[in-house]
Amino acid sequence: MKRTLLFLIGLTFSAFAFAQQVDQGRDLSKYADDKFSEDDKYTVAEPYATVSVKQPKSKKIKNVIFLIGDGMGLEQVSVAWTLNGGHLNLDNFPVAGLSRTYCTDELVTDSCAGGTALSSGVKTKYGYIGQDADGNPCFTLLHRAQQKGMKTGVAVTCRINDATPADFICASPDRHLEAEVAAKLADSGVDFISGGGRQFWDEREDGRNLIEEMKAKGYTFVDNDADLRNASGERLLGLYGPLDLDPVLDRGSILEDSAMKAIEMLDNKKGFFLMIEGSQIDDWCHRNKVGYMAEEFFDFDKTIGKVLEWAEKDGHTLVIVTADHATGGLTLIDGSLEDRSVSVHFSTKGHNGIMVPVFAYGPHAEEFVGVYENSELSDKIRRLMK
Ligand SMILES: [Zn+2]
């Protein structure tokens, strides 16, 4: 009896700890809860237009654009596809694969370990950013690009020092060491950095003002979408809010604008590596709100459309879209393509362990067909970058 009671207390504590973990460090006041009346149903009045592109003939890869939908499993793709009346920019990809996301110590991974496998080809421990299970820093695809003299960039809608962007740039044993990670990003030499989290750059306990340091190094600094669109130069730091950016209905097209400005600034003779993240698909699945999730997905898919149009013109750009893991245990249980409506069920407020899709476009896209580990996906890209 006593043992059962202790077990129950333990269970309650771990459930509490888990709930805490899910929203670790996020500013929840940003997330208005009242825009859509129901959390598990959504209807889209007007679908958006999608692009149509052809696979290029070239076999030469000059640029790599790696797009990550945080928390974007196949169900999220199917829900968004239904809500947009049976069309997504993702439909253009000629090749699809499936990636297994588990990490070294958990079957169901997080963005830290999931992103590290994608950035570095190394499966690691839950919570580890850019370092292997023994704590050694990883050599990422972005580092490889820098070594080859390519330009590099990251553009996200969360704080820029959050797990996924940080996984590509630096190493940390703990995602809560945010000021430390921001300093590492500032010292990384990455040419284009765009996202949230300004408070870790200019309100620091160590007295450093990383924004001023970046300006002194020749970076253009912007803090809003209009200035981002008008920015010129070769290097840019964009920080659009103290923490994560507002939901897409409030922040507008900043992800798409960041992606296109990054391409404009990074495109050069030696090529570039650009990571773009639809960061908040995950956040809304954690909160089990399908309408907000769908709008974040549309924002990500519209960005993919713009990237594909540019890649088609360029002809030498490999475009990969995948996820670090799925979130929410989302299930599409009913809906209508005609009415652009869905009815869904969420089975968890955490992540879930299903395989996630990989979409490939451009030279050597065919090498991404099949079922493989998330770490192997990164290895494939690295081999193609040579
Ligand atoms: Zn998450």
Side-chain angles (χ1 to χ4, degrees), residues 282 286 325 351:
D282 177 64
H286 279 302
H325 52 74
H351 300 159

Side-chain angles (χ1 to χ4, degrees), residues 7 15 31 49 78 80 83 132 136 167 203 205 218 247 255 275 302 316 328 331 347 364 366 369:
F7 175 73
Y31 297 100
S78 305
L83 285 170
D132 68 19
N136 306 302
D167 279 327
E203 291 170 35
E205 281 178 14
L255 183 64
M275 192 285 283
K302 287 175 192 170
H316 305 292
T331 311
S347 63
H364 296 277
E366 67 281 359
V369 75

Side-chain angles (χ1 to χ4, degrees), residues 22 70 111 282-283 286 325 327 351:
V22 163
D70 199 315
S111 290
D282 177 64
D283 295 337
H286 279 302
H325 52 74
T327 305
H351 300 159

